Amino acid sequence: MRKRVIGIAAIAASAVLLAGCGGGGNGGGGTGGGEADFEAEPTGTLSAWGFENADDVGQSRLDYAEEQLSDVEVELDATAFDAQKFTTRIASGDVPDVVQMDRRYVTQYAAQDLIIPLDACFEAQGVTPDDYWYPFVVDDVRYEDAIWAVPQFYQPPAIMLNKRVMDEAGVTNEEIDTSNPEALLGAIEKMYQESGGVPTRLGFDPVSTGQAPLWILGMGGQLTDDDGTPTLDDPSNIAGIELLKQINDAQGGYADVKSFTDSFDTFGDNNQFVTDQVGAQVNAQWYPNVLSPYVDQVQIEAVPFKNSDGEPFSVAGGSAFVIPAGAENPAAACAWMIDLTSEEGWAAAGAARAETRAEDGGINTGLFTGSPGPDQSIRDEYVVETGNAGFDQTIATYYDVLDYGRSFGSSPAGQDIQNELNNAVTAALLGDKTPEEALADAQSAAMRAYDNATAGG
């Protein structure tokens, strides 16, 4: 079997999803009766579930993998992953060979023995995950000394700046500093506008619940311990919530801020940067792509999110491929996942995106893949000066923060931890509970999920 060195990577934000019409493979030795034989030649039928809405980047990777595996017939169920449907399918024996899901689910299913570890898959394909992914991306899917998924995506958050609003208010980039609350709150006060007590412009949109882990971890908190046990009630988590409350209270309070941001035309012609509804906003790397058609109507730059020590900080969310327990064609599944995320697969994706941008005249912001190799090669070949200094600076900032990532923490209760943290932040920001009370309640709920996931383990 071929040995390849790859860079495991991520597709763009509108990534394809996979299929799962029951394992129909006739090669590679199913996992139902013992360990998978990843050394077997990939042949037969491969069922895959979870690749949805294939765009240029996704389709080019599917095409590349198909070319490499000419003896494998891939059956794609291009519907979105659903957690309840996944467990139901496994219980009924309707087992796909590959499933794509958010990385926060992976350890939960690993703890329940619903998916299989992939260390032997990587060995069979000549892949050393710790050498080719960002380490914090690998940490998302590492549990009990095994790696359980092929991760993709790492589109880091940073703070996008509306320079038109900032210049009008006399605010500098240096004042948008999350490690310096006094300066940040002063800048917010200069830019914030309201009418009749209702916000009409936010100085800074922190995306309080959507980016809650960024604020908690960045301000010194922790969501899990080293074993994956939830730690939401750790006192270190209070600082992030308190800073978020100060930011929201300076702009009318969380309820008014949330109501205002919910009205944003985020993906449309009247988005918050075109209409000057924000002075600054936390955004993931994909958002500059959304603003690309409006390059002549916006004035943007970016600065890193900074942790409590004043250092750039990011978090490594994304999706991943897994092989369910009972998959009938694990050898083909392994080879297919590696082809989809290989250096060569990502070269094809980079070329496809460049062709798309040449046709639509948009700005090529690069592909942020989860692996430094493809990230750099695609940047070197396709990310060129746009003629707009602000866009160029924004794109460069997102590349700059790639190395500052941190895992959310691998936990059998990963998705529940995220949900309960959002609930806690919301309750605290609304004033319904103190931060301590909200985190204590969140911890209780997360621990119930953790105990359920690890029962009998």
Side-chain angles (χ1 to χ4, degrees):
M1 197 168 196
R2 336 170 251 161
K3 303 292 185 182
R4 289 165 295 155
V5 175
I6 69 162
I8 302 298
I11 59 180
S14 56
V16 278
L17 292 184
L18 286 180
C21 306
N26 54 19
T31 62
E35 293 186 3
D37 180 10
F38 292 120
E39 297 284 353
E41 190 69 23
T43 61
T45 301
L46 169 73
S47 67
W49 171 37
F51 259 98
E52 183 186 41
N53 298 328
D55 64 355
D56 52 347
V57 172
Q59 190 59 52
S60 61
R61 295 167 62 212
L62 289 170
D63 292 344
Y64 173 79
E66 181 179 1
E67 293 171 1
Q68 306 310 304
L69 301 173
S70 57
D71 292 333
V72 176
E73 179 183 353
V74 180
E75 296 180 350
L76 286 177
D77 174 2
T79 57
F81 172 78
D82 177 88
Q84 183 174 357
K85 182 178 178 181
F86 177 70
T87 53
T88 300
R89 292 186 64 166
I90 299 298
S92 67
D94 179 20
V95 184
D97 295 305
V98 175
V99 180
Q100 180 178 261
M101 62 181 64
D102 189 283
R103 292 205 289 269
R104 302 302 295 275
Y105 285 106
V106 170
T107 305
Q108 172 182 336
Y109 297 132
Q112 298 178 52
D113 296 323
L114 296 180
I115 59 176
I116 64 174
L118 299 183
D119 300 81
C121 164
F122 296 127
E123 183 177 358
Q125 293 290 321
V127 175
T128 305
D130 287 320
D131 289 346
Y132 296 103
W133 285 308
Y134 296 99
F136 35 85
V137 171
V138 182
D139 288 343
D140 277 352
V141 294
R142 193 194 308 273
Y143 180 63
E144 293 188 341
D145 298 322
I147 298 174
W148 297 83
V150 174
Q152 357 173 65
F153 290 136
Y154 168 40
Q155 295 172 308
I159 302 173
M160 289 184 58
L161 310 177
N162 186 337
K163 291 298 292 181
R164 186 163 53 222
V165 170
M166 290 174 61
D167 290 346
E168 175 187 304
V171 173
T172 65
N173 290 18
E174 289 71 26
E175 292 173 86
I176 310 300
D177 184 346
T178 48
S179 69
N180 186 345
E182 183 177 355
L184 180 61
L185 292 168
I188 290 171
E189 182 179 0
K190 293 177 187 177
M191 292 186 286
Y192 174 69
Q193 295 181 358
E194 54 88 17
S195 177
V198 177
T200 58
R201 172 183 293 170
L202 296 182
F204 179 39
D205 177 13
V207 192
S208 301
T209 52
Q211 294 287 351
L214 174 70
W215 287 93
I216 301 300
L217 295 173
M219 296 302 115
Q222 64 169 26
L223 305 182
T224 67
D225 65 15
D226 291 342
D227 296 323
T229 307
T231 58
L232 292 178
D233 59 350
D234 190 289
S236 66
N237 295 331
I238 294 173
I241 296 181
E242 289 182 337
L243 179 54
L244 280 173
K245 187 160 178 36
Q246 286 182 288
I247 292 169
N248 282 275
D249 287 351
Q251 302 177 103
Y254 176 70
D256 286 344
V257 169
K258 185 66 164 59
S259 178
F260 183 50
T261 59
D262 283 347
S263 73
F264 288 172
D265 185 24
T266 301
F267 298 97
D269 293 343
N270 294 310
N271 65 73
Q272 63 274 21
F273 285 87
V274 167
T275 57
D276 293 340
Q277 292 174 303
V278 294
Q281 183 181 47
V282 175
N283 275 299
Q285 178 275 332
W286 52 263
Y287 197 65
N289 292 286
V290 174
L291 295 184
S292 174
Y294 311 102
V295 62
D296 295 329
Q297 298 173 255
V298 299
Q299 295 177 23
I300 63 169
E301 290 184 11
V303 294
F305 184 97
K306 291 183 180 180
N307 65 18
S308 55
D309 295 325
E311 299 296 328
F313 185 85
S314 182
V315 287
S319 68
F321 298 119
V322 301
I323 299 180
E328 294 187 19
N329 200 349
C334 171
W336 190 64
M337 295 186 299
I338 297 305
D339 279 321
L340 286 171
T341 54
S342 67
E343 292 271 8
E344 297 86 355
W346 278 97
R353 175 50 55 87
E355 182 177 347
T356 298
R357 288 293 167 259
E359 292 173 355
D360 65 20
I363 293 173
N364 194 329
T365 64
L367 298 177
F368 284 58
T369 69
S371 174
D375 283 352
Q376 190 61 48
S377 61
I378 290 171
R379 182 185 189 183
D380 289 344
E381 186 163 1
Y382 299 114
V383 180
V384 298
E385 290 189 5
T386 66
N388 183 299
F391 257 88
D392 291 342
Q393 189 272 349
T394 299
I395 294 168
T397 298
Y398 279 104
Y399 273 105
D400 289 344
V401 301
L402 276 171
D403 290 333
Y404 296 97
R406 175 175 167 183
S407 171
F408 287 113
S410 173
S411 173
Q415 193 66 38
D416 293 279
I417 289 171
Q418 178 171 295
N419 294 339
E420 295 303 330
L421 178 62
N422 283 340
N423 292 339
V425 169
T426 299
L429 296 185
L430 288 172
D432 295 337
K433 300 176 183 178
T434 67
E436 292 85 354
E437 291 169 340
L439 290 171
D441 290 345
Q443 175 70 6
S444 295
M447 277 303 303
R448 287 194 295 272
Y450 177 85
D451 290 340
N452 288 336
T454 57

